[in-house]
Amino acid sequence: AGVRLARALARADDDERQAFLRDTLAGLSTPQKTFSPKYFYDGAGSALFEAICETPEYYPTRTETGLLHTIAPALAAAIPDDAVLLELGSGASDKTRLLLDAKPSLAAYVPVDISPDALQGAAERLRSAYPSLAIVPVVADFTQGIDVPDALAGKPVVAFFPGSTIGNFEPHEAVDLMRAVRRRLGAGARFIVGADQVKPVDVLLAAYDDAEGVTAAFNRNVLVRINRELGADFDVGAFEHRAVWNAAKSRIEMHLESSVAQTVTVAGQRFAFEAGETIHTENSHKFTPESFQALAERAGWAIEAQWISDTPAFGVFLLKA
Ligand code: AVI
């Protein structure tokens, strides 16, 4: 059985690498070169994201944590006693503790994350902090479907999607994802979503271009990962981190800008860059209460409650199917 499991894991690894390679080659073949932000999160990328959250400029994490602390009793009151809490993109699961503390009667916690390293570390820490809670980690790309482990079938599920990760999707993808969650969880389900709010552009730009350069390192790390996992030869130092505000689309965009004319080889294919040409690596949409409500409603959710923090504004929305 051990050999079979090892083979299955190797196959899954291989499938994942194939998808990563396919997406990377396709992304480098369009006029605006683009990568999906989901590939930021290898072990090093997940650690760099945690470091971003500690920078003075990146306000979303500490603002949302403060807000969740205040509203945890209201959220706990909306969650059924024996519910399974399913978190999408759980990372270090730090904010989850606020809900676990406020709702000790939960049947189980299911963290879903694309990074096995981040997931394993978080599960170990939570198991020692909450010894009587069932913790069932799932390594998965939640954009490809949401699986609740069989053992938990029949329990009410409350989904938790903090951090404004919803903002990393194009609006139509965000609607598709929220609709998929609603269909998966069924009638009466609840969905708790964190959504960062529009604010002065200087505050936004600083949050995505911190003085210490942690966000720049996070952005460039995707090139390091592509070199290592896909046998590419990106000259990582020849790409500059750029954060720009796209007012028409109400989003911060991150790019990697080629500082010189150069050619890069990925899996034997050559890609030419002009000096100043960019790879668009991430969108981070910023919402108003109304724009987020409209998105949730398009996906078939009703707004049960919403809380917006004091400046810098961050929103937590409680949705009901
Ligand atoms: C995970 N996600 C919500 C972060 C964001 O703010 O869009 C990722 C990030 N990118 C740069 N800094 C943080």
Side-chain angles (χ1 to χ4, degrees):
V3 174
R4 238 176 311 153
L5 177 63
R7 280 200 197 120
L9 287 173
R11 240 187 340 260
D13 261 14
D14 217 49
D15 289 351
E16 240 168 68
R17 211 184 69 87
Q18 290 299 331
F20 184 23
L21 177 60
R22 224 181 309 115
D23 289 350
T24 301
L25 294 175
L28 290 171
S29 304
T30 44
Q32 168 63 70
K33 295 177 170 69
T34 308
F35 292 152
S36 164
K38 71 183 176 190
Y39 295 119
F40 280 138
Y41 301 95
D42 64 349
S46 296
L48 281 164
F49 176 65
E50 297 306 321
I52 287 174
C53 297
E54 301 290 319
T55 64
E57 295 92 341
Y58 193 73
Y59 62 85
T61 309
R62 72 181 71 88
T63 308
E64 186 184 36
T65 302
L67 182 58
L68 284 171
H69 189 78
T70 308
I71 68 174
L75 292 173
I79 298 175
D81 276 341
D82 60 341
V84 172
L85 184 69
L86 177 121
E87 181 170 352
L88 306 178
S90 48
S93 290
D94 286 334
K95 294 167 199 158
T96 323
R97 289 167 176 251
L98 295 165
L99 293 184
L100 300 181
D101 291 341
K103 195 76 189 176
S105 64
L106 285 173
Y109 171 53
V110 179
V112 180
D113 203 275
I114 199 165
S115 167
D117 299 340
L119 203 55
Q120 197 186 335
E124 274 166 24
R125 287 191 300 275
L126 286 178
R127 281 198 181 108
S128 64
Y130 301 88
S132 55
L133 178 69
I135 297 174
V136 191
V138 176
V139 179
D141 173 358
F142 60 76
T143 62
Q144 304 299 307
I146 295 136
D147 272 333
V148 182
D150 287 346
L152 302 170
K155 300 250 182 243
V157 180
V158 173
F160 182 42
F161 195 27
S164 204
T165 303
I166 192 71
N168 294 136
F169 295 88
E170 296 276 356
H172 71 276
E173 295 168 334
V175 170
D176 288 350
L177 176 62
M178 288 199 284
R179 189 179 290 127
V181 172
R182 183 175 59 75
R183 294 210 170 120
R184 181 66 191 78
L185 303 194
R190 301 291 202 295
F191 192 15
I192 302 163
V193 186
D196 194 14
Q197 303 290 298
V198 173
K199 56 184 54 63
V201 174
D202 57 329
V203 177
L204 289 171
L205 288 176
Y208 289 84
D209 195 6
D210 63 281
E212 226 191 299
V214 185
T215 310
F218 171 74
N219 199 4
R220 286 201 188 96
N221 177 63
V222 73
L223 302 180
V224 177
R225 181 180 185 187
I226 290 171
N227 282 349
R228 186 184 62 242
E229 294 187 21
L230 304 180
D233 64 357
F234 276 100
D235 176 358
V236 177
F239 286 84
E240 294 298 320
H241 168 65
R242 296 277 178 254
V244 288
W245 172 245
N246 181 333
K249 297 196 166 170
S250 195
R251 68 191 190 194
I252 288 281
E253 297 181 0
M254 291 209 313
H255 293 254
L256 287 164
E257 182 181 309
S258 177
S259 40
V260 292
Q262 56 181 322
T263 302
V264 174
T265 305
V266 183
Q269 290 194 35
R270 289 162 66 80
F271 298 93
F273 286 83
E274 290 170 17
E277 185 178 352
T278 73
I279 309 171
H280 183 178
T281 51
E282 186 182 59
N283 292 315
S284 202
H285 291 84
K286 304 301 166 186
F287 303 93
T288 61
E290 296 72 25
S291 73
F292 184 78
Q293 286 159 17
L295 212 64
E297 282 163 4
R298 268 168 65 197
W301 290 96
I303 315 292
E304 186 171 357
Q306 64 178 45
W307 299 267
I308 309 291
S309 73
D310 289 340
T311 317
F314 192 99
V316 172
F317 297 78
L318 173 62
L319 311 180
K320 190 175 179 195

